[in-house]
Amino acid sequence: MADQHVRFKQGIGRWAGNAEVFDSKGCFLGNGADYRNVQSLENGRVRVDVSFVGPFKHSGHYFIQEEGDHRLYEGPANIGYAEVLSENLVDANAYWSALGLSQRFFLMIVDGNLQLSLAQMSRGEHMMYIVVGQNDKVPDDTPVPQPTVVSGTHYDLHDDPTSGRGEILLHRPGRWSGELSALNENKESIGKKYYEETITPIKENRFGLRIEGGSFGPEVRKMSLITNHWQAWATDDSEIVGSHSLSGGRALSGQFYHREAHLRCWRREVVTLDGKRKAVVQHWYRGGQRCGSQFGVMEFEKA
C-alpha cells in the first residue's frame, strides 16, 4: 500500500506569478497573470480561487478533498484526480469545464515560497495550450508582486524557439545534477539517489546526453539527439531512443525507451526563469504498466 501519511503541502495562502503560454508546436503565445488563493477548510477540504488572464482567460473556484495519497478536484471549475507523489509534488489529470479543456498537470514546490508547474491542455487528442508556470507565495498584507517577464511582443517572439532568451535553456552545454526521490509501482518510497545529466554539443543541431544515476535502468546511459529547437529526437544508434517537445526552450515533455532496461520513461521538466534549477518528473513504464517514478530539483552548472 502507498504511504497514507504523505500529504501535499498545498501551499495555503496567496500565490501569484508569471506563466508563459505556448501552442502545440511550442510557439510563444504570450504571458499570463496567474493568481491563486488557497484556503484550508474543515475535514480535509481546500478551496482554491483562481484567476488567469493571458492568451486564454478564466476565473473561478474549485474544492479539493484530501484523501491521503491522492486528491479529488470536486469542481465547479476544475474536476479530476491528482496523485500525491510527495509532500512537494502533485501530478494530476483534470478537466476545466468552462474552457472545455482536459489537462495533464504537475505542480512542484521547489522551496517553501516557489512553485513550478507544467500544464498540457488539450481538447480531445489535440494539444491546445502548454502553460509553464512559476508562482511565488505572497505574504499576508503584501501587494501582489510584479512578475519577471522577457520583454517582447507575441508578434516577434512567436517564431523564436527561445522566446526571447537567446538560448534553449534545456539544451545548454553543461551539467544538471541533484538528488531524485523514487517510488515503486505501489508508490512506496525507495529512497533518493544522485542523478546527473551532461549535455555536450556534437555539431550544429546535434548534441549528446549522458545520464548517470537514478533508481531506474543502467547506471550510465548515452544518447545522441538531433534538434530543430522545437523538438529533439534520438538517433537510432543511441542506448536510449525517443523524442521530446520543447516550450520556449524552458520546458519539455517526451517519451524515451531505455533499450537495456526495456523501460519507457515519460519525462517532463520545467526550468526556473533564472535558468539555474529545473523541476524533473519521470514516470517509468514496462509496456503500459507503471513500475515507478522519480522526481526532484536539479541545478545547472555551465560547461
Side-chain angles (χ1 to χ4, degrees):
M1 294 290 292
D3 184 355
Q4 296 295 319
H5 300 290
V6 174
R7 297 179 70 87
F8 178 62
K9 293 179 179 177
Q10 62 266 10
I12 300 300
R14 297 185 299 153
W15 296 84
N18 162 55
E20 295 179 335
V21 184
F22 303 88
D23 67 13
S24 59
K25 182 184 174 183
C27 297
F28 181 72
L29 297 178
N31 286 94
D34 187 10
Y35 175 78
R36 299 179 217 146
N37 185 24
V38 184
Q39 304 170 69
S40 180
L41 306 177
E42 295 180 348
N43 301 318
R45 281 171 63 81
V46 174
R47 173 175 171 141
V48 183
D49 290 86
V50 297
S51 174
F52 187 91
V53 180
F56 64 90
K57 59 185 185 297
H58 177 63
S59 66
H61 73 277
Y62 59 95
F63 295 96
I64 298 173
Q65 179 64 48
E66 298 276 2
E67 296 288 351
D69 69 341
H70 65 277
R71 336 171 79 198
L72 302 175
Y73 298 152
E74 297 183 330
N78 185 16
I79 302 166
Y81 184 102
E83 295 182 77
V84 177
L85 298 180
S86 81
E87 63 180 10
N88 295 318
L89 174 64
V90 291
D91 192 342
N93 287 270
Y95 180 68
W96 290 81
S97 34
L99 302 172
L101 295 174
S102 299
Q103 180 190 61
R104 294 182 300 170
F105 174 76
F106 82 75
L107 184 147
M108 183 182 294
I109 299 178
V110 174
D111 56 47
N113 297 312
L114 177 67
Q115 297 176 342
L116 291 176
S117 61
L118 179 64
Q120 297 168 285
M121 308 186 77
S122 59
R123 185 165 290 159
E125 294 298 320
H126 177 67
M127 189 74 68
M128 302 282 285
Y129 301 104
I130 301 163
V131 184
V132 183
Q134 179 168 321
N135 281 35
D136 296 296
K137 191 168 187 179
V138 182
D140 293 337
D141 303 320
T142 301
V144 174
Q146 184 70 27
T148 301
V149 298
V150 177
S151 296
T153 70
H154 161 260
Y155 180 88
D156 297 312
L157 299 181
H158 181 268
D159 295 321
D160 178 358
T162 74
S163 296
R165 294 185 180 86
E167 61 181 346
I168 303 294
L169 295 179
L170 284 161
H171 290 177
R172 291 172 294 172
R175 182 174 66 231
W176 292 97
S177 61
E179 282 193 332
L180 298 187
S181 300
L183 306 176
N184 65 15
E185 66 273 16
N186 297 317
K187 293 197 291 185
E188 297 166 333
S189 173
I190 53 176
K192 292 183 178 181
K193 286 192 177 179
Y194 180 78
Y195 183 81
E196 178 181 291
E197 298 176 345
T198 303
I199 299 169
T200 306
I202 298 175
K203 57 183 179 181
E204 186 178 4
N205 297 332
R206 187 165 171 169
F207 63 94
L209 177 62
R210 181 184 185 274
I211 299 172
E212 183 173 359
S215 299
F216 301 92
E219 279 301 305
V220 177
R221 293 135 281 173
K222 296 179 181 178
M223 60 177 161
S224 174
L225 294 112
I226 301 167
T227 182
N228 58 11
H229 308 304
W230 303 102
Q231 301 96 23
W233 56 96
T235 58
D236 61 4
D237 59 347
S238 297
E239 296 172 7
I240 307 169
V241 292
S243 61
H244 65 238
S245 56
L246 293 159
S247 299
R250 188 180 152 222
L252 67 76
S253 178
Q255 305 273 344
F256 290 89
Y257 184 74
H258 291 238
R259 289 177 163 179
E260 186 172 338
H262 302 292
L263 294 175
R264 172 174 56 89
C265 178
W266 177 27
R267 298 167 56 110
R268 286 174 290 169
E269 301 176 0
V270 173
V271 179
T272 53
L273 287 165
D274 61 13
K276 295 179 180 179
R277 293 177 290 176
K278 70 175 179 179
V280 175
V281 179
Q282 299 178 359
H283 289 315
W284 291 77
Y285 299 86
R286 180 167 284 111
Q289 182 176 0
R290 195 164 89 194
C291 55
S293 303
Q294 63 182 8
F295 48 85
V297 180
M298 301 177 70
E299 297 190 356
F300 184 70
E301 179 183 350
K302 285 188 176 182

